[in-house]
Amino acid sequence: MYSRSLLYVMLQDEEKTVEIGGGHIKGLIKPPDQLKLTEAYNTFSSHLTKAKPNIFFAHIFHIFVSCFSQDRCFKPCVVDHTIHIFELEGNLVYKNSDEGRRLMLKQGLHEGTTNLSCVFSPQTTPVEDGGEVEEAGEEDRPDSAASKTDKKEPKITNIFNSCDRATQTLHNPPREINCQTEPPPRSSFSASANQWEIYDAYVQELQKQEKNKEKQKAAPSEKDEKSQKKMMLMETQDIDLNKVSKAAKVLERMVNLNIFDEIAQDFAYYEDPADEFKFPKGTLLPLWKVKYDQAKKLSVTALCWNNKYPDLFGVGMGSYNFCKQGSGMLLFYTYKNCSFPEYIYPTSSGVLCLDIHEERTYLVAVGFYDGSVAVYNLKTEGKEPIYKSTAKTGKHTAPVWQVCWQNDDMDSNHNFYSVSSDGRVVSWTLVKVSQRNIFYLHVTPLIACGTSMDFHKQIDYLFLVGTQEGKIYKCKTYSSKILETYDAHHMRVDTVKWNHFHPKVFISCSSDWTIKITPVLTFDLKEPIGDIAWSPYSSTVFAAVTTDGNVHVFDLNINKYEALCQQLVVDKKKAKLTHIAFNPIHPIIIVGDDRGNVNSFKLSPNLRKKPKVRTLTSFHRSISQ
């Protein structure tokens, strides 16, 4: 029994058809330019066959499934009749090609032979029709003596070998690129909706609808329409900016770090190689310069670093021209984005001093020209302070020149001290009672006007107060008595600072152009001094700024008479330096001027050498010598 399969018929005539099973099947039509094979070619078989290797109809056997199965029927069983007798990879070369001509010359074939369309290369073995492989012997080789003597025409080889030379391309294995990103931050949120909240929401919505109806009834003018459009644009911009404020701030920092990449590289890695040849002198490397366009007419009246975040510092903006007093500003900058302030707090009065809490670095105490003091919280939104003194709470009646945070009291309440020209040192304690902010104060009367103040670094209750007449007083917080009086200067004491390491040494500067380390050393800089500061890394290094635009850096361990560095940082015809501050961790100083600019500089290696650890008595002896 034969299966019904498609019958392929090779037709020699172009228009011949065959009937099979009642249908007409058209055969393949020969193209007019098809090669016509001669009888010599037709005598060779295209396949090695033994007996019927190509059968169009295969025999199909039906096997009856046993009764133990569920089918119990005849199923066809197809048997494959193809027999693989011999396989050999061929190496055919066309006769008309260059390689074929060369092989023909080697084999002794003439170019005039027309019954060969292709030849074998010498590496292959020809296959005869009988299916047997004959190896080339001595007589078959073209270079043998038998071939030279016997010049018979070579036998026709099997040119229909289906195995010929071919190329095989390798497919590259697929590659996978996996990217793993950090998961986005998640936060849990929960809220409850009560009946009164739903009611209030509906009432607000009804009020908005009524307002919109009234606006639609009233025909607005062109100016009103423009103003309304502007207000709508401003509101939408505020809403959009609030949503992307954090992302925009991060993007702005990245752009600024790319723009000021050279400065960042200098800040991190640059060391002045000239210090090796000019010891002990040093230099200051200019880094960032920060300024705010809306504070150009104001002077830098205070500088303070943040101890927790060493890249953040606060700048107080005001004016030392007492005939032209106006509003001020409190700004906070970071080196991560030096093109624009991180926090901006406009004030009604000029800022004269500020201090950042050492532990709770988000609390900032500020003193103003009008005699009031205030506390700002950087975590809260808004531009107003969380605490501010008034006439009812006993504010100062003269400008506040210095504020200093102190440790919390017995009840864990925050407190700070302030000194003013009204002759009072006031302790301000922040207490919350029934959701009202109340100030408790302790007054220490002075003989003269106070201009500066600083607390002892090891003893909490000791502090120094500089006065208008040039004297310095040592006082206690729990007593109104003055412990000791120092006749330090002949004019106003602008700054007084305790040493960070030595408990009995402090430094002061005055408008009489002198710096004094009481009561040992005196330095005359021959210019009005704006501010001084001790370094946090060495007990013998301090820096000062003068109004002629110079920065002076001293190291008493190396030279007790001259500054190791005296460098002009601003043009004295354009600006005057007012304040200076050391970074608590990095070897950086910031300098402010009366044009509202803050310049930062990196100390060269000669200016930031840490001295060897010595006892206090040896340090005192070195200074006294």
Side-chain angles (χ1 to χ4, degrees):
M1 184 176 181
Y2 296 94
S3 63
R4 295 182 180 180
S5 59
L6 183 62
L7 178 63
Y8 295 95
V9 179
M10 300 295 294
L11 303 177
Q12 295 180 357
D13 298 334
E14 295 182 357
E15 297 181 354
K16 187 176 180 180
T17 59
V18 180
E19 291 185 6
I20 297 176
H24 297 276
I25 299 176
K26 291 184 179 181
L28 298 176
I29 301 174
K30 291 184 180 180
D33 57 348
Q34 185 176 354
L35 178 63
K36 296 182 179 181
L37 301 179
T38 60
E39 295 180 357
Y41 289 100
N42 293 332
T43 57
F44 295 92
S45 176
S46 62
H47 295 279
L48 298 177
T49 59
K50 185 174 181 180
K52 295 182 180 180
N54 300 324
I55 299 175
F56 290 104
F57 297 96
H59 295 283
I60 299 175
F61 297 93
H62 287 78
I63 300 174
F64 181 78
V65 182
S66 64
C67 61
F68 296 101
S69 73
Q70 296 179 358
D71 297 330
R72 299 184 67 184
C73 62
F74 286 92
K75 287 189 175 182
C77 180
V78 180
V79 180
D80 189 6
H81 291 271
T82 304
I83 302 173
H84 296 277
I85 300 175
F86 182 78
E87 292 183 1
L88 181 67
E89 293 182 1
N91 194 4
L92 296 178
V93 180
Y94 286 102
K95 179 180 72 173
N96 296 330
S97 63
D98 295 337
E99 187 178 0
R101 293 190 184 96
R102 288 195 297 270
L103 292 175
M104 290 173 63
L105 291 175
K106 287 182 181 181
Q107 296 177 3
L109 300 178
H110 300 286
E111 295 182 0
T113 56
T114 58
N115 56 350
L116 290 177
S117 61
C118 57
V119 295
F120 282 97
S121 61
Q123 290 81 7
T124 59
T125 302
V127 181
E128 297 296 333
D129 288 342
E132 296 179 359
V133 181
E134 297 181 1
E135 296 182 359
E138 289 286 332
E139 298 178 357
D140 296 332
R141 296 181 181 176
D143 55 349
S144 62
S147 63
K148 291 180 181 179
T149 56
D150 191 5
K151 297 182 179 179
K152 295 180 180 180
E153 187 175 353
K155 64 175 74 174
I156 299 174
T157 58
N158 182 10
I159 62 175
F160 293 96
N161 189 0
S162 59
C163 297
D164 57 353
R165 292 190 299 176
T167 60
Q168 183 178 3
T169 58
L170 299 176
H171 297 282
N172 295 324
R175 297 181 179 179
E176 296 183 359
I177 300 176
N178 297 325
C179 297
Q180 186 175 3
T181 60
E182 295 182 359
R186 299 180 180 179
S187 60
S188 58
F189 172 78
S190 60
S192 60
N194 300 325
Q195 293 181 357
W196 53 86
E197 293 179 353
I198 299 173
Y199 177 77
D200 293 340
Y202 276 109
V203 170
Q204 291 178 0
E205 185 65 25
L206 290 174
Q207 291 177 357
K208 288 181 181 179
Q209 291 178 2
E210 291 177 358
K211 289 181 181 180
N212 292 331
K213 289 180 181 179
E214 292 178 358
K215 290 180 181 179
Q216 291 176 0
K217 289 180 181 179
S221 60
E222 294 181 357
K223 294 182 178 180
D224 295 337
E225 289 180 355
K226 291 181 180 180
S227 61
Q228 287 179 2
K229 288 181 180 179
K230 288 182 179 180
M231 290 295 293
M232 292 293 292
L233 288 173
M234 291 294 292
E235 290 178 357
T236 54
Q237 288 178 359
D238 293 339
I239 294 171
D240 296 338
L241 289 175
N242 290 330
K243 292 180 179 179
V244 297
S245 60
K246 291 184 179 180
K249 184 177 290 186
V250 173
L251 182 61
E252 185 180 8
R253 288 186 177 184
M254 294 171 64
V255 172
N256 276 279
L257 287 175
N258 291 332
I259 294 173
F260 301 101
D261 181 64
E262 294 182 359
I263 299 177
Q265 295 294 331
D266 292 341
F267 160 73
Y269 305 109
Y270 181 78
E271 301 291 343
D272 193 356
D275 282 4
E276 299 179 1
F277 307 100
K278 58 181 181 181
F279 181 82
K281 299 294 182 179
T283 56
L284 300 176
L285 175 67
L287 296 178
W288 294 276
K289 181 180 180 180
V290 295
K291 61 181 179 179
Y292 187 47
D293 293 337
Q294 298 184 8
K296 286 184 178 180
K297 299 181 180 179
L298 300 177
S299 302
V300 176
T301 56
L303 291 174
C304 186
W305 286 96
N306 193 310
N307 292 325
K308 185 176 180 181
Y309 303 99
D311 62 302
L312 185 68
F313 62 92
V315 181
M317 310 295 290
S319 177
Y320 287 120
N321 188 356
F322 304 111
C323 298
K324 296 181 180 179
Q325 285 293 327
S327 60
M329 199 168 291
L330 179 62
L331 306 175
F332 289 89
Y333 290 96
T334 176
Y335 284 159
K336 296 177 181 178
N337 183 13
C338 57
S339 62
F340 198 78
E342 288 290 312
Y343 302 96
I344 302 173
Y345 297 97
T347 58
S348 59
S349 180
V351 177
L352 292 181
C353 57
L354 66 94
D355 189 25
I356 301 175
H357 202 284
E358 292 187 0
E359 296 179 358
R360 298 169 180 83
T361 54
Y362 54 88
L363 294 178
V364 182
V366 182
F368 298 98
Y369 177 79
D370 61 357
S372 61
V373 294
V375 176
Y376 288 85
N377 190 347
L378 302 183
K379 290 185 176 181
T380 59
E381 297 181 357
K383 304 298 182 181
E384 297 298 326
I386 57 174
Y387 303 100
K388 189 174 183 180
S389 64
T390 59
K392 293 182 179 180
T393 56
K395 75 169 188 175
H396 292 281
T397 58
V400 179
W401 293 105
Q402 193 71 48
V403 289
C404 295
W405 283 102
Q406 273 299 95
N407 296 329
D408 297 346
D409 59 7
M410 300 293 292
D411 298 329
S412 299
N413 296 319
H414 309 317
N415 65 90
F416 65 94
Y417 284 75
S418 63
V419 63
S420 174
S421 298
D422 61 359
R424 292 193 303 161
V425 177
V426 182
S427 173
W428 304 90
T429 304
L430 281 60
V431 183
K432 289 185 177 182
V433 180
S434 301
Q435 297 183 355
R436 292 183 181 181
N437 302 325
I438 300 174
F439 291 95
Y440 293 99
L441 54 90
H442 171 74
V443 180
T444 301
L446 297 176
I447 300 173
C449 302
T451 56
S452 59
M453 181 179 62
D454 190 35
F455 274 84
H456 199 278
K457 306 305 178 183
Q458 287 84 22
I459 306 173
D460 295 338
Y461 57 85
L462 280 181
F463 63 94
L464 297 172
V465 178
T467 60
Q468 185 75 29
E469 61 181 5
K471 294 183 179 181
I472 299 175
Y473 299 99
K474 183 189 289 186
C475 308
K476 291 182 179 181
T477 56
Y478 57 85
S479 176
S480 60
K481 294 181 180 181
I482 297 174
L483 299 179
E484 194 171 353
T485 303
Y486 301 93
D487 295 329
H489 300 276
H490 303 288
M491 296 180 67
R492 163 195 170 101
V493 179
D494 293 323
T495 306
V496 59
K497 296 286 185 181
W498 282 102
N499 191 283
H500 295 280
F501 303 94
H502 201 286
K504 296 182 180 180
V505 176
F506 61 89
I507 192 171
S508 61
C509 68
S510 173
S511 300
D512 61 359
W513 300 3
T514 61
I515 297 174
K516 288 192 176 182
I517 300 177
T518 306
V520 182
L521 299 175
T522 302
F523 301 91
D524 188 359
L525 301 184
K526 299 179 181 180
E527 288 289 340
I529 302 168
D531 193 13
I532 55 173
W534 285 106
S535 69
Y537 56 85
S538 176
S539 61
T540 59
V541 177
F542 67 91
V545 292
T546 53
T547 57
D548 61 347
N550 284 307
V551 175
H552 306 261
V553 181
F554 292 83
D555 191 349
L556 302 178
N557 191 34
I558 299 174
N559 193 340
K560 295 188 288 293
Y561 306 103
E562 295 181 357
L564 300 184
C565 176
Q566 181 179 348
Q567 186 170 328
L568 183 67
V569 297
V570 295
D571 189 0
K572 62 180 180 181
K573 296 181 180 179
K574 296 182 179 180
K576 297 179 180 180
L577 298 181
T578 56
H579 285 275
I580 186 172
F582 278 87
N583 189 284
I585 296 178
H586 305 295
I588 295 176
I589 59 172
I590 53 175
V591 180
D593 57 25
D594 60 351
R595 295 299 180 91
N597 300 325
V598 179
N599 297 302
S600 59
F601 301 90
K602 183 178 181 180
L603 300 174
S604 64
N606 286 352
L607 301 178
R608 46 187 163 94
K609 288 187 176 181
K610 296 182 180 181
K612 295 180 180 179
V613 179
R614 294 187 295 177
T615 60
L616 298 179
T617 56
S618 61
F619 175 80
H620 189 71
R621 289 174 184 173
S622 63
I623 293 179
S624 61
Q625 292 175 0

